[in-house]
Amino acid sequence: MLEESIVIDVSSSVGSQMMEAVKSRRMVFVAGLPSAGKSFILQQLTIMAGIEGRKVYSLQWDDARRSFETEEALARFPEVDNLTHPAIRKAVGYWVRNAVVKWHAANPDPANTLIVELPVMGGRFVELMQQHDDEAENLLASDQVIMFTPIPSVEVRAAIENVRQETITNPRHELEAKDAPLYIVQAEWQSVRQIYNQQNGIESDAKRDSIYDPEIYREVFLNLLRFRNYSILDIDQLYEVKGSAYERPVPVEVIEAEEADIKASYERLDIEFPGEKAERAIDDWANY
């Protein structure tokens, strides 16, 4: 039974917010850092939606990105050190707002739910959090959408990192082997810290800035989420995950870009960031 796959107590603060979201919102987003519990929260939301009889659609960065990593695109914009090229990240971002609008129009049944992963850092899907003068804005700013950010305590984050290292080495699911390695996890935390330092006029300090601080994480993401309906999920316990957080015991329909969408995104990229400018396509992703 699906209920047996629910690990989060639905009467708890975290669980009740999540259950209410799948009951009352058309679209539920999970934004945040790696090793913050996003995949687990996405899994639990999917199961909750299944229990409520929803047809679940999924929009996740890796699924979307792979569609844009055509042979031609990778020849122009190769991956470096396990990081997607800035130009490809920007091209995916051009597409994603329209993708949400198209899903909403094509799936008017309130029993349909879209669950979205927002990796955010490095400009991945950040367009969904930004304000733009387009058809998507009214939808993304409406009560049909909520964005969650799980913020683990220091102790929980350390435990999640330990689990991540173990599952990368001995994956229980094929996607675990592709999780961002810990050096990228650390680099993305330091990016959060750099944003905080810049916003508060604080000089960088390598030793201090390497230490995860949930309150700094909170402040930075509250600012990034300011144009959306959002809720912070304070994660102060390590949940007993059954199997892999990537497992989905309910049917899920994945949203991916079509060939015409991909072509249009790269054409726009070439106009707005021609030639070497493509290398800097996401430099200002957090400045909005």
Side-chain angles (χ1 to χ4, degrees):
M1 294 179 61
L2 282 179
E3 286 81 2
E4 295 176 355
S5 299
I6 293 292
V7 177
I8 299 175
D9 182 355
V10 295
S11 67
S12 68
S13 174
V14 170
S16 61
Q17 289 184 73
M18 292 169 60
M19 183 60 83
E20 178 60 27
V22 300
K23 288 180 177 180
S24 62
R25 311 280 183 155
R26 286 267 287 154
M27 288 166 275
V28 184
F29 296 66
V30 182
L33 288 169
S35 286
K38 287 199 312 298
S39 296
F40 171 65
I41 296 296
L42 287 162
Q43 179 207 55
Q44 294 289 290
L45 284 166
T46 300
I47 296 168
M48 291 176 185
I51 290 171
E52 290 300 310
R54 302 290 192 263
K55 181 177 180 180
V56 181
Y57 294 78
S58 171
L59 176 55
Q60 294 197 248
W61 171 257
D62 283 339
D63 294 327
R65 169 186 55 80
R66 279 191 288 269
S67 299
F68 282 80
E69 289 180 334
T70 64
E71 184 176 349
E72 179 183 356
L74 287 173
R76 295 179 63 195
F77 310 120
E79 186 178 272
V80 178
D81 295 332
N82 291 313
L83 295 174
T84 303
H85 193 284
I88 294 180
R89 285 184 246 175
K90 191 66 177 180
V92 178
Y94 287 145
W95 162 77
V96 73
R97 288 176 69 93
N98 285 334
V100 170
V101 171
K102 287 173 67 175
W103 176 86
H104 179 67
N107 297 278
D109 189 335
N112 295 336
T113 298
L114 177 62
I115 298 178
V116 184
E117 174 212 20
L118 292 178
V120 183
M121 304 307 296
R124 291 173 294 165
F125 277 177
V126 72
E127 290 82 3
L128 294 170
M129 297 161 69
Q130 297 170 342
Q131 277 188 324
H132 290 266
D133 184 15
D134 62 7
E135 186 179 357
E137 188 58 35
N138 286 340
L139 177 60
L140 290 167
S142 74
D143 289 340
Q144 297 187 70
V145 171
I146 188 165
M147 296 190 175
F148 288 123
T149 293
I151 298 185
S153 66
V154 172
E155 295 78 13
V156 170
R157 179 172 166 89
I160 293 173
E161 288 183 347
N162 289 337
V163 171
R164 174 178 287 251
Q165 184 58 60
E166 179 182 335
T167 55
I168 289 174
T169 305
N170 300 294
R172 299 163 297 184
H173 188 283
E174 61 179 348
L175 293 179
E176 289 181 337
K178 300 175 183 178
D179 274 339
L182 290 182
Y183 75 87
I184 291 180
V185 171
Q186 178 62 15
E188 295 207 350
W189 158 250
Q190 289 180 314
S191 293
V192 167
R193 180 70 209 217
Q194 288 166 9
I195 292 170
Y196 177 83
N197 290 349
Q198 291 166 3
Q199 291 175 344
N200 291 277
I202 299 172
E203 291 188 8
S204 296
D205 179 284
K207 183 177 180 180
R208 179 202 64 206
D209 293 352
S210 68
I211 300 171
Y212 170 72
D213 185 327
E215 294 311 311
I216 288 175
Y217 181 16
R218 183 189 310 273
E219 182 170 330
V220 169
F221 267 75
L222 287 178
N223 183 58
L224 293 172
L225 290 162
R226 67 190 183 277
F227 298 125
R228 301 290 175 253
N229 297 309
Y230 65 83
S231 181
I232 300 298
L233 301 178
D234 287 302
I235 310 299
D236 57 8
Q237 69 177 93
L238 191 66
Y239 295 97
E240 291 291 334
V241 179
K242 300 175 182 178
S244 170
Y246 289 109
E247 293 172 355
R248 300 289 185 268
V250 298
V252 174
E253 187 166 329
V254 175
I255 295 177
E256 296 177 310
E258 297 177 358
E259 186 175 345
D261 300 320
I262 296 167
K263 182 175 183 290
S265 284
Y266 281 122
E267 287 175 349
R268 180 176 172 185
L269 178 78
D270 286 337
I271 292 170
E272 297 188 5
F273 296 94
E276 294 182 359
K277 290 184 179 180
E279 297 283 343
R280 311 189 69 82
I282 58 166
D283 279 6
D284 294 328
W285 71 265
N287 297 325
Y288 61 88

